[in-house]
Amino acid sequence: MNSLLLSFVLSTSVGSEPVRLDAATIEKLGQVAIQAARDGDLKTIQEYLKEKLPVDVKSPRGDSLLILAAYHGHSEIVELLASQSGIKIDEVNKM
């Protein structure tokens, strides 16, 4: 379901111009990515990264996508995230 929502939002366009996402929409898509990292939803994470959305989004606890994927044992997502430019592999959460 997350993947479908992400695909819909990112593919919506007006004429030939893609829709520009406002900060609130980007934040909501970040929340979708956070849940996808928890759930092991590789397809949604791939779509999120393909659209060059921020890799440094965090949950309210301060968990990054990488922390969540690693904590929940989703090694494919960990490998994908670790290969991204700008990813910080030494971050810690607020706990």
Side-chain angles (χ1 to χ4, degrees):
M1 170 107 163
N2 286 338
S3 186
L4 292 173
L5 173 66
L6 185 62
S7 294
F8 173 76
V9 170
L10 296 176
S11 67
T12 305
S13 63
V14 176
S16 62
E17 293 295 317
V19 171
R20 294 180 195 247
L21 303 177
D22 62 16
T25 302
I26 291 172
E27 183 178 338
K28 287 180 184 178
L29 291 174
Q31 292 170 4
V32 169
I34 287 167
Q35 191 60 49
R38 274 191 195 105
D39 295 344
D41 184 350
L42 179 62
K43 184 176 179 182
T44 295
I45 296 294
Q46 288 170 327
E47 289 179 19
Y48 184 84
L49 296 174
K50 178 182 161 194
E51 296 301 325
K52 302 193 184 321
L53 290 163
V55 295
D56 59 350
V57 295
K58 293 191 174 67
S59 73
R61 280 181 34 152
D63 295 323
S64 66
L65 297 177
L66 185 60
I67 288 171
L68 289 166
Y71 180 81
H72 292 282
H74 305 302
S75 58
E76 284 183 277
I77 295 175
V78 169
E79 289 177 25
L80 176 62
L81 291 169
S83 71
Q84 299 302 303
S85 175
I87 196 80
K88 297 176 184 169
I89 60 170
D90 58 350
E91 285 188 310
V92 294
N93 64 15
K94 296 177 185 176
M95 301 308 286

